[in-house]
Amino acid sequence: MSAPVLSVRELSVFVGNRGESRAVVDAVSFDLKPGEILALVGESGCGKTKTAEALLGLVPAAAGQVSAQSIELCGADLAALPEAQIRRIRGRDLSMVFQEPLTALDPVFRTGHQLATVFRRHRRMGRAEARRASLEMLERVGFADAEHVLHSYPHQLSGGMRQRVVIAMAMACRPRVLVADEPTTALDVTTQAQVLARLTELAGEAGTAILLITHDLGIVAHYCDRALIMRSGRIVEEAAVDRLFSQPQHPYTANLLAMSRGARGR
């Protein structure tokens, strides 16, 4: 059995004033296998997004305190690295797709400039080479007119188009791990399917493992290999997707499944 590409042990995130802090992520541990799509599932406010932010070192000191026994990515312990080294890893070996693409895109720069910057920073490409790579990447995420998108500002693109640009940026360096935080929540059902299909296709080609954060059990059933069920900051169940749906072990998991089936039945 191959070693995990990402191994997390006792990850916690505390928010609040000193002496009155509470854990919004509480001693979370899991492994992500190479090429695997692992779902992190739970209702809004359960700690899913804070888990993602903590993994990438994106929790500001003013917003919370992160502690972990270890966060090992390909043998390097991110929990023990200085911020400068984490910045070099983030975007190259470990990337993230955010729920709202405008969070990840700078409104004052054209999308081509932002995508090319990823290639120039992490893959040391020159300007012309980075532009060619950007066009190719935009075509790979499904744009028929990549040149037009390259010259567009984020506000000139639809939500689905912006999310595909963000996916292109996240996958530009063929990262070992991609964290996707509710990547299709703001999209209509048809666009959701297109975006997820493109994301999983690119990840499969690159051998990228995905931690897919979602509350949508339909997405879990269709795209994921295993699932972690989170409640109030803790992992209450971990299982292969087939067993999760056929034999949930925790009452909270069974309740989520029942609510999901009820919603589909309406």
Side-chain angles (χ1 to χ4, degrees), residues 197-247:
R198 194 65 63 175
L199 175 62
T200 54
E201 180 184 342
L202 286 173
E205 291 172 1
T208 298
I210 299 176
L211 178 64
L212 179 60
I213 296 171
T214 184
H215 65 275
D216 189 330
L217 287 166
I219 288 175
V220 175
H222 191 77
Y223 292 100
C224 298
D225 303 301
R226 285 190 304 127
L228 307 168
I229 306 299
M230 177 175 266
R231 183 185 188 189
S232 300
R234 295 185 177 185
I235 303 299
V236 297
E237 184 165 356
E238 176 180 350
V241 166
D242 288 347
R243 190 189 68 71
L244 186 84
F245 280 83
S246 62
Q247 297 177 310

Side-chain angles (χ1 to χ4, degrees), residues 25 32-33 36 53-54 56 83 86 88 96 152 162 169 171-172 179 219 244 255 260:
V25 177
L32 179 61
K33 302 170 187 175
E36 180 182 38
E53 292 172 349
L56 279 95
E83 172 60 23
I86 292 175
R88 286 195 289 270
M96 186 165 179
S152 298
R162 288 194 294 264
M169 292 173 66
M171 291 300 299
V179 179
I219 288 175
L244 186 84
N255 186 51
S260 177

Side-chain angles (χ1 to χ4, degrees), residues 45-69:
C46 72
K48 304 187 302 295
T49 293
K50 273 290 180 280
T51 299
E53 292 172 349
L55 291 175
L56 279 95
L58 296 175
V59 179
Q65 297 78 48
V66 178
S67 70
Q69 185 182 102

